[in-house]
Each structure stands twice: as C-alpha cells, then as structure tokens.
Amino acid sequence: MSVSVQATEVPSDNIPLSLAIRLLTPISDVPNVENTQVFVGELPDKMPVELPIPKNAKILGSMVTEEACIDILFDVNQTSEQVFDFYRESLANNNWSEVGQSRGIVWGSDRITFCRGLLSPSLTVSAYTVREGPTEVRLNVNTDQEKSLCIRDDDDYRKPLPKLVAPFGVRQYGTSGNYMGTSTIESTTLNTDMNSSALEIYFSDQLKEANWTRLSGGQNGPLAWSTWIFMDEDGLDWSGQLFALEIPKLENQRWVLVQASLAESHKR
C-alpha cells in the first residue's frame, strides 16, 4: 500500500530537515532523507487508515518515509493510561485488536500495538507523561506487509528467548534481532539512569524466572555481562549470554542484548 503526500517546506532559518530527521530517528532506523516528507503542525494529506485523535490534542507534526511508515507526534493533557484507554476503546469499534508479544525483549508500559489482521497495517501508540507537562504521544503506522508487526500470528520465530520486559517508565528506541533457528539474538536501546550493572541484574532476574541457570558474570568498565545455560520446552539444551552496555558519550543511553545458541550436541 503506497502513500502519496506533499511535503511542507521547512523555513531555511530553522534546523535543516535532514538533520532533524536524523536527530529524531534511532540510528538503526534512519530513513532515506531524500524520500522522507515532514509535515509541521499537521497530519499527512492522505492516510492509509483512519486514526482517531484525542480531543484538544496539539498536533506537533508528522513524517512519512519511503518504507511506507507514518509517524505522528502530538501533545495532550491526559495521562498515558488515559491515552491508551482512548485508543483501546476507539479502535475496538473499528475492528482493531491489541496484540502482545510473548517472547523476546518487549516494550514496557509506554506503548501498545494494534492490528486488524495478519497482513494488515500495524499501529503502535506510544505515550510518555512529561513531569509537570503534557503527555507526548507518538503514533506509528506501518503499511509494509513485510515489516508490519501484524505479519506473524505468534512468536515462535523468537524461540527460545523468554519474555523480557524493560523497566517501568524507561523509554526504548527500537528492538532488533537475528533469528536463525540454532541461534537467536535480540537487542534494544534504552534511555535510563540505571547503570549497566543494575540493568544486568534486572534482566537476569527475569531469565532466572524463565528457568535459565546463571554460570558466570561480571563488569568490565561500562559493560556488564553474564552467561547462562537452560533447557527449552522441547528438551533441547542452550547456552545464553546477556550484555548491558552504557553507551559512551551518550548520557543515559544503554544497550541491552540477549543471545541463545543451541548446544553443539543438538546441531546436525
């Protein structure tokens, strides 16, 4: 499904458009700037799906990329939970269903995702309540069937990782992974004042609850790490690694990675 829009010119005395896009987008997701349109203070002219917007919301802007993704940013004087309740109720009346994730590193309490079906566009709603200010809301619509969060009806491809939830209130900047059957790797970037040691402990507790057994661990400068072994529900043995890194020169930026590799005795 293609999206056709007209770009809004950004005044030359403001920040250059290409720089704004790169500053506002996670490194791993920076789009082709030449084929990205930004709309200041308004929605795109054409939308692939009809989306409700809370009453009295202040539209800050929107962005359309060549990857068939639309991002909308607005402020609203509601709490995060009120925003989520608004979208749960409004979208349910239009045949959208909230979807969850049962494996891998999942988004914390600051976002929810909706689908209309297996091959439908996905809609992700993120809401961050700013202290003594409005709630910042971001809507992401992905109409690319190959990249839509609705393309899979289960999380089997993330086996054998358990469900790992980021700390409450921590902002995440994308999750990426590599899933090869005999090796599964998933990582995410977090914005938090928790150091790497605290994050390693936080995610280790969840691995222990999933019956992973810790073998060793330690701290090397900004990097905290641990190694694990476990048996999955099919009786296969795996080794695991967990890493938490404080990204140099980027205040409060942390990178977390979890990996599982099938034991050599099970490989053909």
Side-chain angles (χ1 to χ4, degrees):
M1 185 180 299
S2 62
V3 178
S4 177
V5 297
Q6 296 296 320
T8 295
E9 290 291 331
V10 176
S12 59
D13 58 346
N14 286 349
I15 185 171
L17 178 59
S18 60
L19 176 58
I21 293 171
R22 295 177 66 179
L23 287 173
L24 296 172
T25 311
I27 294 176
S28 60
D29 298 324
V30 173
N32 185 328
V33 174
E34 294 181 356
N35 295 313
T36 298
Q37 289 107 10
V38 171
F39 297 81
V40 179
E42 60 184 9
L43 301 177
D45 292 339
K46 296 182 180 180
M47 292 285 292
V49 294
E50 183 178 349
L51 296 180
I53 301 293
K55 185 178 180 180
N56 299 324
K58 179 181 179 181
I59 304 295
L60 300 179
S62 56
M63 181 170 69
V64 180
T65 70
E66 66 174 349
E67 289 82 9
C69 287
I70 299 173
D71 290 286
I72 299 169
L73 175 64
F74 62 85
D75 286 341
V76 65
N77 291 320
Q78 298 178 357
T79 66
S80 297
E81 280 305 314
Q82 288 174 327
V83 171
F84 293 144
D85 288 343
F86 168 81
Y87 279 98
R88 288 186 177 108
E89 180 178 353
S90 301
L91 294 174
N93 296 329
N94 201 18
N95 299 320
W96 291 83
S97 298
E98 186 176 350
V99 298
Q101 182 180 321
S102 62
R103 294 181 180 273
I105 303 174
V106 305
W107 294 95
S109 59
D110 57 6
R111 68 174 51 194
I112 51 178
T113 298
F114 299 89
C115 295
R116 275 177 166 168
L118 185 59
L119 298 178
S120 73
S122 62
L123 167 63
T124 299
V125 181
S126 305
Y128 312 98
T129 301
V130 180
R131 183 178 301 176
E132 298 182 357
T135 292
E136 174 187 301
V137 181
R138 294 173 182 264
L139 307 182
N140 174 265
V141 180
N142 191 330
T143 64
D144 187 335
Q145 289 188 352
E146 294 184 357
K147 297 180 180 179
S148 170
L149 298 177
C150 305
I151 193 172
R152 301 179 186 274
D153 58 358
D154 57 49
D155 286 329
D156 280 352
Y157 69 101
R158 285 189 168 94
K159 284 185 176 179
L161 298 181
K163 182 177 181 178
L164 300 172
V165 182
F168 179 82
V170 168
R171 183 173 295 192
Q172 288 177 255
Y173 297 95
T175 298
S176 61
N178 188 1
Y179 315 100
M180 302 175 60
T182 59
S183 178
T184 299
I185 304 171
E186 196 158 89
S187 65
T188 189
T189 301
L190 309 175
N191 185 289
T192 175
D193 57 5
M194 295 176 66
N195 59 30
S196 58
S197 177
L199 283 172
E200 193 279 327
I201 293 172
Y202 177 86
F203 284 102
S204 287
D205 288 342
Q206 297 181 66
L207 292 178
K208 292 175 182 177
E209 291 180 2
N211 295 320
W212 286 37
T213 301
R214 184 185 176 105
L215 296 181
S216 61
Q219 184 86 29
N220 185 3
L223 176 67
W225 59 273
S226 54
T227 62
W228 305 75
I229 56 172
F230 64 97
M231 179 182 292
D232 67 14
E233 58 265 42
D234 298 319
L236 299 178
D237 295 314
W238 297 76
S239 62
Q241 295 83 40
L242 171 65
F243 299 96
L245 175 67
E246 299 170 28
I247 302 177
K249 298 183 180 181
L250 293 177
E251 184 179 4
N252 291 341
Q253 293 291 296
R254 314 289 187 246
W255 177 75
V256 175
L257 179 145
V258 60
Q259 174 178 341
S261 301
L262 188 65
E264 290 294 333
S265 59
H266 294 306
K267 295 179 181 179
R268 296 180 179 178

